[in-house]
Amino acid sequence: MNHARAERAALCDLLDELGPDAPTLCQGWTTADLTAHLVLRERRLDAAAGIAVPALAGRTAAVQERIKNRGGYHELVDAVRQGPPRWSPYGLVPGLDAAVNTLEMFVHHEDVRRARPDWEPRALPADLAELLWKRVAAGARLMFRRSPVGVILRHTDGRRAGAKKAEPHVIVTGDPAELLMFAFGRQDHARVTCAGDPPSVARLTAARLGV
């Protein structure tokens, strides 16, 4: 089992455990909303463009709401658990599921975990942690493009990745999973340290980040 499938299975287990009304870190979404989003993303490609294109977001939101309300919650979780259909790009293109869905499933798994008051960071397999670091380092310029200050990401082992070239700048230090969550706009729920002048740190932690 690759990491995308492992994170998918763990996320679905947690969704089943918590039920449809639990909070998530996705603003305004319950676990039912998040589950419907995942179903739409993999099974309603005709309506998925609004996830990335603001002009189409209204239609995407309407279809997602219909998905959420048309059937049972646990049936939707089962659809996510089954993985992408064979006819979807994730099923047709070898390796695409792992390439795209490792981060998607990891971040949304953490969106559910970290919305609970007693959450703690997970101990991750070394190869998954390394993969997360490589992905966040490679995508840093995209994810921090809206940052109002310069940003350097610093792995706890000392490695660095430039995210935004500007002054003043902030150095954000943490384990790969924490840097990833920070980069995806979950700053309030990422265990990182930020080194920089206080106004710059405040502006960065309040910024809209992510892809």
Side-chain angles (χ1 to χ4, degrees), residues 149-192:
V149 298
V151 182
I152 297 171
L153 302 181
R154 183 178 183 274
H155 192 305
T156 47
D157 68 8
R159 284 180 284 174
R160 296 187 177 208
K164 178 76 176 280
K165 189 174 182 180
E167 293 296 338
H169 71 269
V170 175
I171 299 174
V172 184
T173 302
D175 289 329
E178 306 310 313
L179 294 174
L180 180 70
M181 295 301 289
F182 191 96
F184 265 79
R186 280 68 166 176
Q187 295 100 307
D188 290 343
H189 291 81
R191 300 276 179 88
V192 300

Side-chain angles (χ1 to χ4, degrees), residues 36-44 47-48 51 60 63-64 67:
H37 160 77
L38 293 172
V39 171
L40 178 147
R41 179 179 167 274
E42 295 185 334
R43 296 171 181 268
R44 284 296 308 272
I51 295 172
T60 297
V63 173
Q64 180 173 307
I67 290 171

Side-chain angles (χ1 to χ4, degrees), residues 11 22-31 33-35 37-38 64 104 107-115 181 184-186 189:
L11 169 59
T24 76
L25 299 188
C26 301
Q27 187 174 12
W29 282 6
T30 64
T31 41
D33 294 302
L34 177 55
T35 304
H37 160 77
L38 293 172
Q64 180 173 307
E104 179 81 9
V107 170
H108 284 321
H109 185 192
E110 293 299 315
D111 282 337
V112 179
R113 290 186 69 254
R114 298 184 187 213
M181 295 301 289
F184 265 79
R186 280 68 166 176
H189 291 81

Side-chain angles (χ1 to χ4, degrees), residues 192-203:
V192 300
T193 58
C194 294
D197 65 82
S200 295
V201 171
R203 292 176 70 197

